[in-house]
Amino acid sequence: MAKLIVILGDQLSPALSALREADKDDIFLLAEVKQEASYVKHHKHKIILLFSAMRHFAEVLRQQDNKVIYLDYEQGFSSLSSAVEHCLQQHPKLTGIMITECGEYRLKQELDSWHETFKVPVDILEDDRFLCNATMFAKWADGRKQLRMEYFYREMRRYTGLLLDSKKQPLGGQWNFDKANRKTPPADLKAVAPMQFKPDEITSEVIKLVAEHFADNPGTADNFCYAVTGKQARQAFNHFVSEQLGKFGDYQDAMLMDQPFLFHSICSIYLNCGLLDVRWMCQKVEAAYKQEKVAINAAEGFIRQLIGWREYIRGIYWLLMPDYKTRNFLNAERPLPGYYWHGNTKMRCMQQAISHTMTHAYSHHIQRLMITGNFALLAGLDVTEVTDWYLAVYADAYEWVELPNTLGMALYADDGVLASKPYAASGAYINRMSNYCQHCHYKVKDSTGDDACPFNVLYWDFLARNEQKLGSNARMQLAYKNWHNKAPAQQQALRDKAEDYLIKLDKL
Ligand code: DLZ
Ligand code: SF4
């Protein structure tokens, strides 16, 4: 009774439940297929990363004497279902399928149909690489008026025991050191880059394949330097802990010209496809704190992202899909300007965030939330176009993580499920957290003149445009008070300027 064990491109973990449960006669399937490679126009680096990491993972499985079927892209399989069908036909001794649950609702529907399609038993196992499963999350969410991350996070700290003292109280005397993560960066702050890896033979093959078959996708296939094995990813993470983490604690939200990574680990790229293990990462960071190598704001700030934010986001996704994807509270429907795909804009902050994205399939969370996300929110860009953009261009993006972060957190399209108020900010915030404005065509101190900063102009217009929906939000009262304190003539000038900018949005 041999089974087909299907391993997806973001399931490249030795501890995957489907691998743990496999028997000796079972056959593993990894497949590079058209549908997964093109449900959005993925950045070339994202495809290179996954195809190369899948090929390396298959190698390791083979070396451990497992039977592995690897279907590469040039074999032309259209979908995972067609790959599975092929294997079942070629190997009649296969009498069942086993797979660990996937990370996207779209694909879940396909997996759920396999039992009917193939007329064999299909075991879909829990993905216990995550710390909180759907049942635990639903229990936590049940009966709560608001699903705030902070309370979920405290439960996760208690559940994991991370950064707790012997009385189960938070080390450092408080749960959250968020305020100590937002220092303004000095202009001469020197970044410490994440570890880079030279492509080996397998990766070089994949780079050629992607350059040929995905020529029109965003990004270039040339400068790929990410880890593609678990061993490399662990090296990269150890480098982060010893060389970057201390400064990451202080400057999590900082942005500087031409410094795409600053002190960020970029390990979401590896964690989200399975090359790193969340428990191992958290233990490394906790140990660095206990050995006094990093301060509490660094250790807590990092662990919060993993066991707090990341698990919370996943919980929200599975709790609220598929309805969540249809939400558009602010009726945002303006087309995405072309510079989201190339970064040719006079707005320096947008140019930086987008060009980093196009070069590396990466930009850090504040660039995503407070630059490209904030701009999309203020300008009322189409929610589906924006969420598809994030899903396509980031190497760490799968819908479970991308959708709530974009639709909920950045665009407030879920009417406050995730965030208690929209993350709308004017140029002043960007000026405080970066040195971009000094290098910009627009004037960050201006809101109505010829070269007024578009973030200022659109910020006020956003408030005015959405007052009916946001005016009663308790956390927006100060913003609306400031708006109403403006003289009618000034309000009109701001709105006229916004109209002008919105008409020529593509040319800003
Ligand atoms: C993102 C991606 C890409 C580009 N290609 C593949 C692929 O060819 N084969 C595969 O198994 N997975 C791929 N993936 C990742 C899947 O899309 C991912 O598993 C689902 O989105 C669920 O999270
Ligand atoms: Fe961005 Fe405005 Fe600053 Fe220019 S002036 S970098 S558009 S915030």
Side-chain angles (χ1 to χ4, degrees):
M1 285 275 288
K3 298 183 291 301
L4 184 68
I5 315 269
V6 183
I7 300 172
L8 301 170
D10 57 353
Q11 297 185 336
L12 309 177
S13 315
L16 190 76
S17 50
L19 278 170
R20 292 201 315 264
E21 295 296 317
D23 294 322
K24 213 176 161 320
D25 288 340
D26 292 345
I27 301 182
F28 295 109
L29 166 67
L30 291 102
E32 299 168 6
V33 299
K34 282 213 172 72
Q35 183 183 292
E36 295 310 305
S38 56
Y39 59 90
V40 286
K41 237 177 190 243
H42 300 288
H43 192 293
K44 293 188 185 77
H45 281 192
K46 183 177 180 185
I47 307 175
I48 296 169
L49 171 88
L50 287 183
F51 285 8
S52 175
M54 285 167 71
R55 290 178 187 204
H56 282 92
F57 194 74
E59 260 323 294
V60 174
L61 289 176
R62 277 194 203 102
Q63 282 160 15
Q64 292 166 349
D65 278 342
N66 296 298
K67 296 181 200 77
V68 180
I69 301 175
Y70 195 96
L71 302 176
D72 70 42
Y73 193 74
E74 280 166 337
Q75 286 170 267
F77 286 91
S78 60
S79 64
L80 286 160
S81 297
S82 67
V84 167
E85 184 181 20
H86 168 81
C87 294
L88 295 178
Q89 275 169 3
Q90 295 287 309
H91 300 271
K93 69 165 188 166
L94 291 170
T95 53
I97 302 171
M98 190 156 77
I99 185 165
T100 294
E101 63 189 345
C102 67
E104 301 196 346
Y105 190 84
R106 157 195 75 78
L107 189 57
K108 178 183 180 323
Q109 287 177 298
E110 189 176 331
L111 306 190
D112 286 345
S113 72
W114 282 357
H115 174 61
E116 193 55 36
T117 313
F118 301 122
K119 312 280 183 231
V120 293
V122 180
D123 265 346
I124 301 182
L125 308 183
E126 186 182 315
D127 191 347
D128 54 13
R129 296 175 301 167
F130 292 90
L131 304 170
C132 177
N133 65 28
T135 316
M136 270 168 77
F137 191 82
K139 207 168 141 202
W140 173 78
D142 189 36
R144 283 176 195 263
K145 269 209 199 108
Q146 291 186 319
L147 304 178
R148 292 288 165 256
M149 193 284 290
E150 181 59 27
Y151 301 106
F152 171 78
Y153 167 52
R154 290 181 195 179
E155 287 208 10
M156 292 303 286
R157 285 277 291 281
R158 291 192 193 96
Y159 176 66
T160 58
L162 284 162
L163 295 179
L164 296 186
D165 66 17
S166 55
K167 294 192 183 108
K168 300 239 177 277
Q169 291 306 304
L171 290 177
Q174 61 194 64
W175 291 102
N176 188 323
F177 288 83
D178 187 28
K179 288 197 177 66
N181 296 140
R182 304 185 203 142
K183 273 199 187 156
T184 300
D188 60 351
L189 187 65
K190 287 270 165 302
V192 183
M195 195 173 255
Q196 303 193 345
F197 298 87
K198 206 167 162 268
D200 64 4
E201 222 171 282
I202 294 179
T203 306
S204 302
E205 271 292 295
V206 172
I207 290 174
K208 265 194 247 151
L209 182 149
V210 170
E212 188 184 329
H213 291 279
F214 298 92
D216 292 339
N217 285 42
T220 142
D222 290 342
N223 56 331
F224 183 84
C225 57
Y226 291 142
V228 289
T229 65
K231 190 173 166 201
Q232 288 178 336
R234 286 190 295 279
Q235 272 180 323
F237 190 71
N238 285 331
H239 166 84
F240 166 72
V241 174
S242 64
E243 310 299 325
Q244 300 174 281
L245 176 60
K247 286 266 174 41
F248 169 80
D250 293 339
Y251 298 112
Q252 249 190 61
D253 291 4
M255 297 169 282
L256 286 177
M257 283 290 291
D258 299 327
Q259 300 209 3
F261 305 116
L262 217 55
F263 304 104
H264 288 265
S265 75
I266 72 163
C267 283
S268 53
I269 295 175
Y270 310 138
L271 175 62
N272 290 354
C273 70
L275 297 182
L276 287 177
D277 177 80
V278 70
R279 294 169 183 85
W280 178 85
M281 293 166 84
C282 290
Q283 280 156 9
K284 285 270 166 198
V285 170
E286 186 187 46
Y289 169 68
K290 289 188 170 164
Q291 291 157 14
E292 299 183 0
K293 290 181 181 151
V294 298
I296 189 70
N297 71 325
E300 188 281 322
F302 190 85
I303 286 175
R304 183 182 348 117
Q305 302 302 340
L306 264 61
I307 68 167
W309 191 248
R310 182 171 184 267
E311 298 279 338
Y312 165 79
I313 283 288
R314 180 171 180 265
I316 294 276
Y317 179 79
W318 287 113
L319 187 71
L320 299 180
M321 279 296 279
D323 166 71
Y324 196 72
K325 201 174 169 159
T326 65
R327 299 200 187 180
N328 188 357
F329 175 59
L330 299 175
N331 296 329
E333 287 172 349
R334 213 176 294 278
L336 196 73
Y339 40 78
Y340 269 81
W341 296 104
H342 47 64
N344 294 336
T345 158
K346 297 194 287 289
M347 294 179 280
R348 179 63 71 202
C349 52
M350 289 286 280
Q351 179 274 330
Q352 286 281 296
I354 296 167
S355 68
H356 297 167
T357 303
M358 289 305 143
T359 314
H360 301 288
Y362 179 83
S363 67
H364 66 71
H365 76 136
I366 286 299
Q367 291 180 309
R368 297 190 206 190
L369 178 65
M370 298 309 291
I371 307 283
T372 44
N374 184 23
F375 187 80
L377 171 74
L378 299 182
L381 302 186
D382 183 90
V383 172
T384 304
E385 279 196 61
V386 177
T387 52
D388 278 355
W389 181 79
Y390 279 87
L391 191 56
V393 298
Y394 290 114
D396 52 14
Y398 306 90
E399 199 179 74
W400 68 265
V401 60
E402 174 277 325
L403 191 72
N405 268 309
T406 311
L407 183 149
M409 183 76 174
L411 303 180
Y412 203 72
D414 64 1
D415 188 12
V417 174
L418 241 78
S420 52
K421 73 178 186 73
Y423 271 76
S426 68
Y429 170 85
I430 295 168
N431 197 25
R432 189 164 65 249
M433 296 315 295
S434 77
N435 61 356
Y436 293 156
C437 304
Q438 301 156 33
H439 302 269
C440 185
H441 165 88
Y442 294 104
K443 297 191 173 66
V444 71
K445 300 266 166 27
D446 190 0
S447 301
T448 49
D450 279 353
D451 293 329
C453 165
F455 281 80
N456 292 345
V457 179
L458 295 175
Y459 172 78
W460 294 115
D461 192 63
F462 169 81
L463 291 181
R465 220 185 308 138
N466 293 299
E467 183 158 8
Q468 224 192 346
K469 287 183 172 160
L470 301 175
S472 57
N473 180 319
R475 295 199 60 209
M476 294 298 282
Q477 293 313 302
L478 184 61
Y480 276 107
K481 198 168 150 222
N482 290 336
W483 170 245
H484 291 299
N485 279 342
K486 291 187 187 300
Q490 202 190 354
Q491 289 186 345
Q492 194 55 50
L494 278 162
R495 300 222 57 187
D496 288 347
K497 185 73 193 169
E499 198 179 321
D500 175 40
Y501 274 1
L502 287 171
I503 288 170
K504 58 179 190 196
L505 201 61
D506 232 334
K507 308 255 167 359
L508 288 179

